[in-house]
C-alpha cells in the first residue's frame, strides 16, 4: 500500500467518526452533585472554561452544585479543593475528542449565603 492510499483511508475514517459524533443526539443528564452546608463555607470559587453556569435559590438550605453532561464518567466530574472554609470547584476532564460533549453547571445558593 502506498502512502496516498493510507492517507485517504485515514481521512475517510476520521470524517466518518466526526460525522457519527455530530449526528448522535445525546441529551445531557445530571452526572454529579455536590452539597455543602452554608456554615462550612465562607468563600466559594467556581472555575470552568466554556461551560454555562446558572444560579438558583436552594430549596433545602445547602449550597448545591449540579453538573449535567452527555458522558457520565467520574474523571469528568468537578474537582474540589480548598482550605478551611474556602472552597474551589473546577471543571473535571473532558473526552480526548470532545466533539458532541456538552456540560453545564447549576449552582443552588442558600438564602443565608452572602459571599
Amino acid at each position: 500500500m502506498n502512502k496516498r492510499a493510507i492517507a485517504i483511508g485515514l481521512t475517510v475514517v476520521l470524517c466518518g467518526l466526526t460525522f457519527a459524533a455530530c449526528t448522535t443526539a445525546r441529551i445531557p443528564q445530571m452526572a454529579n452533585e455536590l452539597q455543602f452546608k452554608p456554615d462550612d463555607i465562607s468563600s466559594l470559587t467556581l472555575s470552568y472554561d466554556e461551560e454555562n453556569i446558572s444560579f438558583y435559590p436552594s430549596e433545602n438550605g445547602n449550597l448545591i452544585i449540579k453538573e449535567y453532561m452527555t458522558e457520565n464518567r467520574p474523571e469528568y466530574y468537578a474537582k474540589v479543593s480548598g482550605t478551611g472554609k474556602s472552597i474551589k470547584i473546577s471543571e473535571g476532564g473532558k473526552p480526548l475528542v470532545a466533539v458532541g460533549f456538552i456540560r453545564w453547571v447549576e449552582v443552588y445558593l442558600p438564602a443565608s449565603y452572602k459571599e
Side-chain angles (χ1 to χ4, degrees):
M1 253 184 159
N2 63 27
K3 291 180 181 181
R4 184 172 185 210
I6 292 172
I8 291 172
L10 286 175
T11 302
V12 169
V13 169
L14 288 174
C15 287
L17 288 173
T18 302
F19 179 75
C22 290
T23 59
T24 303
R26 295 180 292 176
I27 299 171
Q29 303 290 321
M30 189 178 71
N32 186 28
E33 181 176 317
L34 304 167
Q35 288 203 35
F36 304 93
K37 294 180 181 176
D39 295 340
D40 295 340
I41 299 172
S42 63
S43 173
L44 173 67
T45 303
L46 296 172
S47 178
Y48 284 83
D49 288 336
E50 64 265 349
E51 288 78 9
N52 289 327
I53 302 174
S54 301
F55 294 88
Y56 304 98
S58 174
E59 293 182 11
N60 70 2
N62 288 336
L63 171 69
I64 302 168
I65 312 290
K66 293 182 180 182
E67 289 186 300
Y68 291 80
M69 54 188 84
T70 51
E71 290 185 46
N72 187 351
R73 299 186 60 177
E75 58 266 28
Y76 301 159
Y77 292 177
K79 296 178 179 127
V80 180
S81 61
T83 57
K85 291 188 171 191
S86 179
I87 294 176
K88 179 180 180 183
I89 298 174
S90 56
E91 71 179 32
K94 294 180 183 175
L96 183 60
V97 178
V99 175
F101 179 73
I102 299 169
R103 172 173 45 203
W104 74 75
V105 180
E106 294 179 352
V107 179
Y108 294 83
L109 294 171
S112 62
Y113 187 75
K114 304 291 185 205
E115 300 299 320

